[in-house]
Amino acid sequence: MKKFATLFGAALMAGSALCAAQAYAADDLTITSWGGAYQESQRKAFFEPFIAAGNKVTEAEYNGEIAKIRAMVEAKAVTWDVVDVDTQTALAGCAEGTFETIDWGKLGLDKSKFIGGDVTDCAVPNILYSTVAAYDTTKTKDPANLFEALFDTTKFPGKRALQKSPFVNLEWALMADGVAPEDVYKVLGTDEGVERAFKKLDTIKKDVVWWESGAQGPQLLADGQVVFATSWNGRFYNAIKTDKKPFKIIWDRQAPDWDWWAIPKGTPKLDGAYRFITFASQPQLMADQTKYISYGPANKDAAPLIDPAILPDLPSAPDNLKTVFYPDPQFWGDKGDELRERFNAWLAQ
C-alpha cells in the first residue's frame, strides 16, 4: 500500500485503506470445532498463528451434528465457513451436497501427502485420532486386552463408561465374541450379525455408564464411578499430562479415525476458507499441534518434525498399531442411520 500511495497520492491511499478494511472484514472466518482440549490445541497451533498473520477468526463449537450445517446450507444462510468434521459426517455431507468439493489445486497442496486424502472429495484430513479405553492404575490392575477390560465383569467388577453410540461398540462386541477383525463388517452387515453384537453387549448392559461428550469418559474414571472408560485418546492424554491423572491407555484394538476440515456449501467466504485450510495444513503447524494434544498429523511431511518424546503417545506410534482395528467409514456412511436407530431402541429396552 505504501508503494501505491507514493505513486498515486495520499487521497487514493485513503480509498484503498477503506477497501482493504472491507475485504478484511469479509474474511472474518467462523471456524467451528468440537471444543475442549481438542479445540484448544487448534487454537494454539492454527487459529492464533493465522490471526497473527493478519486474519480474523471467530470460533464456534458444536457436537458434530450435521443437521445444523445442512439447515444452514438449505436455507442459503451459511454462517460457518470451515467446520471440523468426523469421517461419517464428511462422507454424508459430500454425498448430499452439504459440503464444497475440495479443489486441491486451489489449496496448493499435494493430496498424496495426506493420510486419508483419497477417502472423500469434500474435506481435507487434519488429524488421526483413536477411540481407546483407559483405567486408573492406582485402582485397577492391567487387563490382558481390551475385551477382558470391557467384557469380563467377573475379573473386573464395576461399571464401564462407553460412548452412547453404536460406532465402535458393535465392532468391539463382535470381536469380543470371537469374530476375526477382518470379518467384522461382513458379519455386521447381516441381521444375524447385528443381533449377535447386541447380544454380546447385553452381557454388560447393566454395568455400562453411557457418555455423550468426550470429556465425560475421563471424568467418570477420575471420579471413581467406573473401572474402565472409553474416549478419544487425546482426552486421556490431556488427563494424564495436564491433570496428572494416574491413567493408562489400552492401545489394544484401538479404533482410529480422521477429523477433517470441510467447507459448508454456499459460504460467502470461500476464498478465506481455502486460505485457512492451506495455512493449517503446513507440516510444521501440524507437528506443533502434537505439543498440545496427542493426535497424529494427517500430513505425512509433519511426522519428522514431531518431538520424539511425544511420538509414543500418538495413535500412529508403531507400538500402538500392533493390534489396531480400522473402522470402515463407508460402512457407517451406508448403515449408520439404521444402526443408530437399532441402538437407541436397544437402550430403551
Side-chain angles (χ1 to χ4, degrees):
M1 188 176 291
K2 288 181 179 178
K3 184 176 181 180
F4 187 88
T6 300
L7 293 174
F8 297 101
L12 286 180
M13 181 176 125
S16 176
L18 177 60
C19 292
Q22 290 171 339
Y24 182 83
D27 283 342
D28 179 359
L29 297 177
T30 297
I31 303 174
T32 303
S33 191
W34 301 80
Y38 178 49
Q39 191 155 334
E40 176 66 16
S41 75
Q42 293 177 316
R43 183 176 303 121
K44 292 177 178 177
F46 309 128
F47 303 159
E48 291 176 356
F50 191 62
I51 291 168
N55 302 282
K56 193 172 181 182
V57 168
T58 297
E59 293 185 41
E61 296 179 17
Y62 80 140
N63 290 322
E65 62 273 18
I66 192 173
K68 188 167 185 178
I69 308 171
R70 184 187 298 128
M72 288 183 187
V73 172
E74 290 176 351
K76 300 189 185 307
V78 175
T79 57
W80 291 355
D81 306 303
V82 181
V83 184
D84 186 296
V85 299
D86 59 20
T87 302
Q88 294 177 55
T89 302
L91 291 171
C94 195
E96 68 188 29
T98 297
F99 298 136
E100 296 279 353
T101 299
I102 296 297
D103 181 345
W104 285 81
K106 186 172 181 177
L107 286 173
L109 299 173
D110 181 354
K111 182 193 289 191
S112 68
K113 293 282 189 179
F114 288 75
I115 302 168
D118 57 352
V119 170
T120 175
D121 293 329
C122 300
V124 177
N126 59 58
I127 56 98
L128 185 73
Y129 71 96
S130 204
T131 303
V132 296
Y135 59 97
D136 186 329
T137 59
T138 65
K139 300 175 182 176
T140 305
K141 63 181 180 180
D142 290 355
N145 53 49
L146 174 70
F147 305 131
E148 184 178 84
L150 297 185
F151 291 93
D152 192 339
T153 56
T154 300
K155 187 172 182 179
F156 295 101
K159 299 288 187 181
R160 280 86 167 129
L162 301 180
Q163 186 177 12
K164 195 175 182 180
S165 168
F167 180 66
V168 178
N169 287 324
L170 294 182
E171 292 97 321
W172 281 345
L174 285 177
M175 285 185 279
D177 200 45
V179 176
E182 61 270 21
D183 294 330
V184 162
Y185 291 108
K186 181 170 63 178
V187 175
L188 196 56
T190 67
D191 291 341
E192 296 79 10
V194 172
E195 291 303 317
R196 181 176 176 181
F198 280 107
K199 186 176 180 180
K200 185 64 176 178
L201 286 175
D202 276 334
T203 66
I204 60 169
K205 188 176 183 181
K206 66 180 177 61
D207 296 303
V208 175
V209 177
W210 300 101
W211 58 262
E212 296 185 68
S213 76
Q216 288 177 291
Q219 190 60 55
L220 287 164
L221 195 59
D223 292 344
Q225 295 185 50
V226 298
V227 290
F228 295 101
T230 66
S231 189
W232 303 300
N233 70 285
R235 301 288 182 159
F236 288 124
Y237 174 84
N238 190 61
I240 294 167
K241 298 296 184 180
T242 303
D243 300 333
K244 308 302 180 185
K245 299 297 182 183
F247 297 166
K248 185 175 181 179
I249 291 174
I250 302 169
W251 289 105
D252 179 50
R253 299 304 173 188
Q254 64 151 314
D257 197 0
W258 292 273
D259 260 28
W260 311 72
W261 296 120
I263 304 173
K265 183 163 285 186
T267 171
K269 302 169 185 174
L270 183 61
D271 288 343
Y274 267 91
R275 191 169 65 253
F276 169 75
I277 294 174
T278 299
F279 183 88
S281 299
Q282 296 177 59
Q284 185 60 63
L285 295 185
M286 297 185 96
D288 289 345
Q289 189 183 14
T290 66
K291 298 174 183 176
Y292 311 115
I293 202 160
S294 59
Y295 294 149
N299 190 331
K300 298 172 188 176
D301 287 345
L305 306 175
I306 298 171
D307 183 342
I310 296 173
L311 282 174
D313 296 312
L314 302 181
S316 51
D319 285 347
N320 298 337
L321 290 172
K322 289 179 178 177
T323 61
V324 64
F325 174 78
Y326 288 101
D328 183 344
Q330 192 59 60
F331 175 89
W332 282 101
D334 295 339
K335 297 280 191 177
D337 288 344
E338 173 188 332
L339 290 174
R340 277 186 284 273
E341 184 177 341
R342 175 71 177 84
F343 180 79
N344 291 333
W346 173 78
L347 282 180
Q349 292 172 356

